[in-house]
Amino acid sequence: MVETGAQSIEDLIPLALRDTATATFRYVRVNLIATTVDAVIEVFIRDGFKLVEDVKMLNVNAHRFMRDGDLSDVLVFPPGTVLHLHPLYVDGSVVLQDKASCMPAHVVQPQPGSEALDACAAPGNKTSHMVSLMANKGRVHAFDMDSRRMQTLVELTTKARCRIIETQCMSFLDVDPLDPKYAQVEYALLDPSCSGSGIVNRMDALVDSYASGGRPQEPQGGRLAGLAEFQMSIIMHAMRFPAVKRISYSTCSVHVEENEAVVAAVLAAQDEFGLAPAEQVIPTWKRRGVAEGGLTPEQAACVVRTLPEDGTNGFFVAGFVRQKPTDVEATRLHLQTIWAGRPAPQAASEPAQNQHQQTNQKKREFNKSADGKPAGPMKKKPKPTVDTRKQNSSLNGQRARSAVTASGPPAAGAGGTSKGKKRPKRRVTSAVTQ
């Protein structure tokens, strides 16, 4: 900053973008595991914030807030509100999460006591949101290839008091849907790698995108096609889990190629799942999908889009619901196709309970006063449960395997393995967050 003469991080943002960087509202998701929306509202009021009902009253830096009109567990604060040091955030009672990012869990609608999966889970906010909606009852299988990001997931979900998450540091495409371990999984949240073209409220992303010439760097068409191919493969793989009956698919992209076109391709490729009706996909949200990429106007009305002008990041969410029972033979053929030329992964091993977390569980319990309201931060942060010491370093920095589709084996040199070439053994690390 000294070299540029900037006095703050905000000064590094181009003038044309400063309004965009600060115009999005600040959203707070209430962690229903730890507290209630009403209790959190009372705390903010006690701290001097004024509860209002009109979004027009949320002026920049105003000490006001309101309930979100679309998501029952979300509160809205004015742009520029700083809450990172607030006790409710420090102790995990609330999560700072963009509104659009909170939509997928509400679309997939996991029920308390059920089993769900998060295919590309790290860093974990959407995972913990599912657990919050499930009242910390049931089980959530969380998969991610990146050991460092999985470490972050364990830390964040432990802070949020999630006790039902089972982590697997591996590619979701290597998970066997027919493994008895996943026979009861009914809900799948899919938020795979995307172009990130909808992200606008991360200052570092804004500075990077404008650093080379004053305009955002659009991804090349080939990269979008590769991302779309991978995104479709994730959805098709999730549909092979026999008991899965509801799926949410989301991206932080504004490109039709990654959104409507992917949904249309999935609908055309199979007949076991259809789009969830509009009344089950954030029905009060007015901005819906666009009738492009192969979607009809009726289908586009069943998916959700958000844009920066809505006060959020650019985002896309679609819901799929099962219409026909799983075809087990089709699943076996699907697995033979995506695992062609390499050994099929073995069934995931049962995770061992972390003894340190068991013996220190009481120390991590949310401290409450006699009236049940938040009374302060946790006294000690538990150690993460994922052992990363032996994790294959080639997994670091990767979000997902590229060029893997449901229609054929991955191409050699593009993240896959050609026939006849032995694939290195994959290491799997598993744990249950307490």
Side-chain angles (χ1 to χ4, degrees), residues 172-173 175-177 232-241 327-340 404-409:
F172 177 63
L173 294 175
V175 180
D176 184 355
M232 180 179 176
S233 71
I234 290 289
I235 301 173
M236 296 296 292
H237 196 61
M239 290 178 173
R240 302 324 314 165
F241 285 73
D327 186 334
V328 176
E329 289 304 317
T331 297
R332 292 196 177 99
L333 179 61
H334 161 78
L335 297 179
Q336 291 174 2
T337 300
I338 67 170
W339 293 339
V404 181
T405 71
S407 59

Side-chain angles (χ1 to χ4, degrees), residues 125-195:
N125 278 344
K126 297 181 186 69
T127 316
S128 68
H129 194 185
M130 281 203 295
V131 176
S132 177
L133 296 178
M134 295 167 67
N136 224 4
K137 299 176 181 178
R139 184 170 296 278
V140 174
H141 303 273
F143 306 95
D144 203 279
M145 291 183 64
D146 191 320
S147 61
R148 289 180 295 183
R149 285 170 57 84
M150 186 62 87
Q151 180 93 356
T152 300
L153 178 145
V154 172
E155 293 172 357
L156 291 178
T157 56
T158 298
K159 175 182 177 182
R161 304 162 189 68
C162 300
R163 299 193 303 269
I164 63 170
I165 300 175
E166 178 182 313
T167 61
Q168 295 283 342
C169 196
M170 62 188 293
S171 168
F172 177 63
L173 294 175
D174 280 348
V175 180
D176 184 355
L178 299 181
D179 187 334
K181 180 178 183 177
Y182 308 114
Q184 303 303 316
V185 174
E186 296 180 289
Y187 305 94
L189 189 151
L190 315 177
D191 189 61
S193 298
C194 70
S195 65

Side-chain angles (χ1 to χ4, degrees), residues 62-84:
H63 225 52
R64 301 168 181 167
F65 73 110
M66 64 179 291
R67 294 176 182 264
D68 185 76
D70 304 294
L71 306 178
S72 60
D73 55 352
V74 173
L75 302 175
V76 191
F77 289 77
T81 303
V82 178
L83 295 169
H84 290 84

Side-chain angles (χ1 to χ4, degrees), residues 234-251:
I234 290 289
I235 301 173
M236 296 296 292
H237 196 61
M239 290 178 173
R240 302 324 314 165
F241 285 73
V244 164
K245 60 184 181 182
R246 193 171 184 90
I247 296 172
S248 70
Y249 167 68
S250 59
T251 73

Side-chain angles (χ1 to χ4, degrees), residues 267-282:
L267 293 175
Q270 52 78 48
D271 62 357
E272 293 181 12
F273 284 81
L275 281 176
E279 57 268 23
Q280 297 180 12
V281 185
I282 321 295

